[in-house]
Amino acid sequence: MSNPWLSKILQIVVTLALVALAVIVYRRTDWCKGFTPDGIMTLIAGVLAFAAVQWQMWDQRGTLRQEQDRQNRAVATAILFEIDSVFRSKIRETGKALEDTSNQDLVVKPYSLWFSVYEGNSIKLGQLRPNIVQEIVSVYGTLKRHLVTLQEYSTAVKHAHAALHEDGVDWNAMASQYRTEVVQGTPVVTLQTYYASKHLCEYAGVKFESPTIAVAAENVDLLNKKLSEIESSGTNKGQ
């Protein structure tokens, strides 16, 4: 039985209890002589019955809230560790490898862009706090765009190695362009992952610390410095 139906039934029970109480008190009371002992006892019994039903309703609502909170924390925890897994396996190490200018031939193994935990719990996200939902949606969008660019880079490298130049495509130039986009995008993705993970930890009751949460070890000041340098470089090129 769904929760709304349970609440409706309890409300009906309380209403019937009130009606029954009023009828019983009215029939057992001699209004010419005031309240009789039977009438008083009936009134007390009715009040106790009413209080018992109210307590049951209050307890039921509290139990439902606790269960909903538990489910919300479970969803947030699962999403937190999926984000952590993606960061560990596809963002952190790959970003470091591409930042090394001596490594020119990195080819990334094919991987799925299907985030099973996120996609599987999309319906339940609406139960979380709006600010948490916003961060989750935003960080997954950023992760997906970054990983798509990374795959495009890897594809361009493969074509360049195979010396494929159909339609006059310069795969080396494309690979270089995608590589730059991935390198410049890594601090952005890392910072967004950092704050999203931190807030998810606070919500789910998980300690935001390394090595449990990989991104917790990142230096925020250094990442912001890299972003400033990238933005400054882009501004100078545009002038």
Side-chain angles (χ1 to χ4, degrees), residues 191-219:
L191 272 175
Q192 194 167 354
T193 301
Y194 181 95
Y195 288 113
S197 298
K198 183 178 181 181
H199 295 152
L200 279 168
C201 281
E202 293 171 355
Y203 183 80
V206 178
K207 286 188 177 181
F208 182 64
E209 60 183 14
S210 178
T212 304
I213 307 299
V215 76
E218 296 294 321
N219 187 322

Side-chain angles (χ1 to χ4, degrees), residues 39 67 71 87 145 200 223 235:
E67 177 60 21
Q71 292 180 8
F87 176 76
R145 287 191 298 271
L200 279 168
L223 290 171
T235 302

Side-chain angles (χ1 to χ4, degrees), residues 104-105 152-165 168-180:
Q104 297 294 329
D105 300 318
E152 294 290 349
Y153 163 74
S154 183
T155 299
V157 170
K158 290 178 182 177
H159 282 290
H161 287 177
L164 299 177
H165 302 288
V169 177
D170 187 345
W171 291 106
N172 284 309
M174 289 188 67
S176 178
Q177 177 184 342
Y178 285 129
R179 181 192 184 101
T180 299

Side-chain angles (χ1 to χ4, degrees), residues 68 71-72 74-76 78-79 82 114-129 132-134 136-137 140:
Q68 187 62 60
Q71 292 180 8
N72 290 348
V75 171
I79 288 176
E82 181 173 65
W114 171 264
F115 303 112
S116 58
V117 177
Y118 174 68
E119 302 290 349
N121 289 278
S122 58
I123 297 178
K124 299 178 182 178
L125 290 181
Q127 301 293 332
L128 307 182
R129 295 174 187 168
I132 294 293
V133 177
Q134 183 179 20
I136 290 172
V137 173
Y140 271 100

Side-chain angles (χ1 to χ4, degrees), residues 55-151:
W55 172 264
Q56 184 179 6
M57 290 181 63
W58 178 84
D59 185 63
Q60 181 67 27
R61 286 194 295 267
T63 301
L64 292 175
R65 283 196 299 269
Q66 290 177 359
E67 177 60 21
Q68 187 62 60
D69 289 343
R70 186 194 67 77
Q71 292 180 8
N72 290 348
R73 288 194 297 272
V75 171
T77 301
I79 288 176
L80 166 67
F81 283 107
E82 181 173 65
I83 292 173
D84 179 70
S85 176
V86 173
F87 176 76
R88 288 174 185 269
S89 62
K90 301 182 179 72
I91 305 299
R92 182 180 59 182
E93 300 306 321
T94 303
K96 290 179 180 179
L98 289 176
E99 197 171 10
D100 181 2
T101 56
S102 64
N103 184 2
Q104 297 294 329
D105 300 318
L106 180 65
V107 176
V108 181
K109 294 181 180 179
Y111 51 81
S112 173
L113 292 174
W114 171 264
F115 303 112
S116 58
V117 177
Y118 174 68
E119 302 290 349
N121 289 278
S122 58
I123 297 178
K124 299 178 182 178
L125 290 181
Q127 301 293 332
L128 307 182
R129 295 174 187 168
N131 62 314
I132 294 293
V133 177
Q134 183 179 20
E135 278 199 286
I136 290 172
V137 173
S138 180
V139 74
Y140 271 100
T142 301
L143 286 170
K144 189 168 186 177
R145 287 191 298 271
H146 187 80
L147 294 177
V148 167
T149 305
L150 183 57
Q151 284 190 337

